[in-house]
Amino acid sequence: MSVTREDVLNALKTVKDPVTGNDLVAAGLVRALTVDENGVRFVMEIDPAKADPMEKARAEAEAKLKSLGIDKVSVAMTAHSAAPKPPELKGTARPKPAGPEAVPGVARIIAIASGKGGVGKSTVSANIATALAAEGRKVGLLDADVYGPSQPRMLGVTGRPASPDNKTILPLRNHGVTMMSLGLMTQEDEAVVWRGPMLMGALQQMLFQVQWGALDVLIVDLPPGTGDVQMTLAQKTHLNGAIVVSTPQDIALLDARKGIDMFNKLNVPIYGLIENMSTHICSNCGHEEHIFGHGGVAKQAEKMGVPLLAEVPLHLDIRTASDGGAPIVVSQPDSPQAQVFRGIAKQLIADGNA
Ligand SMILES: Nc1ncnc2c1ncn2[C@@H]1O[C@H](COP(=O)(O)OP(=O)(O)OP(=O)(O)O)[C@@H](O)[C@H]1O
């Protein structure tokens, strides 16, 4: 899709908010905007009493975007009162800080990003987190992938996090990693609601009201793309660095470049690129094949002057391990596949980044 985020915003600026008379963007109605090859998604946060006129604005916005040639436009309308909330937290009205704020007890925050979905960002995050834990680091993993939280499954964690004092949320822990996920705050079939207005608030709660304890490093598994979650995270807290995961395919690389540009604009250092699904290693015979091509990420990294942290092979065991709730670093720590992730962890520690 050749339509840019800018094009989308410009189109939305031509639609009037029937309540304030401003355009939708100026009225702050467009939330969690994601523009990628799957289309355009965003949320309009509305006053439920104004649902009828707002529905007209929503339909107009959708029609305008479709007229740009965008096939899939998904505009969800939500109201604060209608969204299910995470544990009701009392007495926690925080003064809204203007700039980024440190997360108490957390020494460093590293974001793991990808330009597009399905490149293995969550798999990489889970394995880096467990590999850092294996090196003796105190590690947290925040699953901020609102469009498909997968860390509970990958780390084999179930249950709802408790909030005994109604002020803080107790994270869960497995394989030496302290973990919190938006996926644990919703019923499975309700995940879509997090695309709503609660999203930014929920993200802030995940950062500041979860009792992370003392951590050397908090890994944040971001949603794919360059949407509002990434911006919010970089604005609300201090991101020490970012790692961008890509597959060798051209399109994924192009998207990865957008991700890198975004972090550059946000002044977040890029620790490096990871090429995932680099080489296919047959689990029967060990034969190596470059299904998606090979070396593209290395070339791109060189071109952009960022390090290539690792090339992770496409291997069935990596998938089955994650699906089984124990990442390969935990279930087969001595396998060559696990060694790749352990190498990344050692590198991050050696560089003073984790
Ligand atoms: N190196 C790999 N070898 C084999 N399977 C892999 C590898 N990396 C990821 N996978 C599998 O690919 C699928 C997608 O991976 P994952 O969920 O980590 O991607 P993602 O980028 O986080 O996706 P999304 O952003 O859409 O959530 C999963 O089934 C995962 O087990």
Side-chain angles (χ1 to χ4, degrees):
M1 197 177 69
S2 56
V3 177
T4 64
R5 188 179 168 86
E6 190 103 13
D7 297 333
V8 170
L9 285 170
N10 284 338
L12 293 174
K13 281 180 193 163
T14 65
V15 182
K16 214 162 146 185
D17 166 20
V19 178
T20 61
N22 271 329
D23 69 72
L24 291 187
V25 178
L29 283 163
V30 179
R31 301 286 175 95
L33 174 67
T34 305
V35 181
D36 57 26
E37 77 279 4
N38 297 318
V40 172
R41 303 184 289 279
F42 68 90
V43 170
M44 284 171 60
E45 181 184 353
I46 62 156
D47 174 354
K50 307 272 172 17
D52 281 349
M54 292 312 295
E55 169 52 32
K56 285 204 187 88
R58 188 200 65 77
E60 191 187 336
E62 201 171 306
K64 289 246 161 98
L65 293 177
K66 288 202 165 153
S67 74
L68 293 180
I70 305 164
D71 288 340
K72 280 199 215 146
V73 179
S74 153
V75 188
M77 285 208 300
T78 42
H80 264 282
S81 53
K85 293 183 180 161
E88 196 61 54
L89 303 174
K90 291 181 197 133
T92 51
R94 305 169 52 83
K96 289 239 159 65
E101 210 186 342
V103 179
V106 175
R108 304 171 190 84
I109 303 181
I110 303 178
I112 314 261
S114 69
K116 65 182 277 255
V119 301
K121 170 184 46 59
S122 302
T123 306
V124 167
S125 304
N127 277 291
I128 291 182
T130 46
L132 285 168
E135 295 297 316
R137 309 304 283 166
K138 293 194 214 82
V139 187
L141 177 57
L142 165 52
D143 182 6
D145 190 347
V146 285
Y147 299 111
S150 42
Q151 292 304 346
R153 175 175 51 87
M154 291 197 179
L155 289 182
V157 168
T158 49
R160 241 176 118 79
S163 178
D165 60 359
N166 280 336
K167 284 189 189 129
T168 50
I169 304 168
L170 300 182
L172 296 161
R173 218 177 133 74
N174 205 11
H175 309 309
V177 175
T178 304
M179 200 274 281
M180 185 61 211
S181 165
L182 284 174
L184 292 174
M185 308 285 278
T186 55
Q187 308 302 322
E188 256 173 42
D189 54 352
E190 281 178 354
V192 71
V193 177
W194 287 108
R195 297 175 188 189
M198 295 299 292
L199 180 59
M200 302 307 154
L203 195 65
Q204 253 177 298
Q205 278 194 345
M206 303 275 108
L207 285 169
F208 298 110
Q209 285 172 246
V210 168
Q211 275 194 357
W212 290 108
L215 294 183
D216 294 312
V217 58
L218 176 64
I219 305 283
V220 183
D221 180 8
L222 285 172
T226 53
D228 287 357
V229 174
Q230 285 79 349
M231 303 286 177
T232 306
L233 187 71
Q235 282 156 5
K236 297 285 175 208
T237 190
H238 178 67
L239 273 183
N240 293 75
I243 293 172
V244 178
V245 182
S246 179
T247 59
Q249 288 122 302
D250 272 347
I251 177 69
L253 277 177
L254 247 158
D255 287 313
R257 237 164 33 210
K258 278 189 223 153
I260 286 172
D261 286 348
M262 173 188 68
F263 287 117
N264 282 338
K265 277 195 198 118
L266 294 168
N267 288 326
V268 176
I270 312 272
Y271 291 155
L273 285 178
I274 293 179
E275 177 168 289
N276 188 31
M277 310 193 193
S278 183
T279 303
H280 175 243
I281 302 176
C282 173
S283 45
N284 275 329
C285 65
H287 174 67
E288 290 189 17
E289 228 167 17
H290 298 134
I291 293 186
F292 299 129
H294 177 244
V297 181
K299 263 193 231 128
Q300 194 56 241
E302 202 184 325
K303 216 155 121 194
M304 291 182 297
V306 294
L308 176 74
L309 283 180
E311 294 178 335
V312 178
L314 175 69
H315 196 290
L316 183 66
D317 289 354
I318 295 183
R319 188 177 67 71
T320 49
S322 299
D323 284 350
I328 191 126
V329 162
V330 174
S331 55
Q332 298 174 44
D334 297 324
S335 64
Q337 291 73 256
Q339 294 297 341
V340 176
F341 292 113
R342 297 178 68 178
I344 301 171
K346 286 183 182 136
Q347 179 77 51
L348 287 170
I349 295 169
D351 293 344
N353 292 331

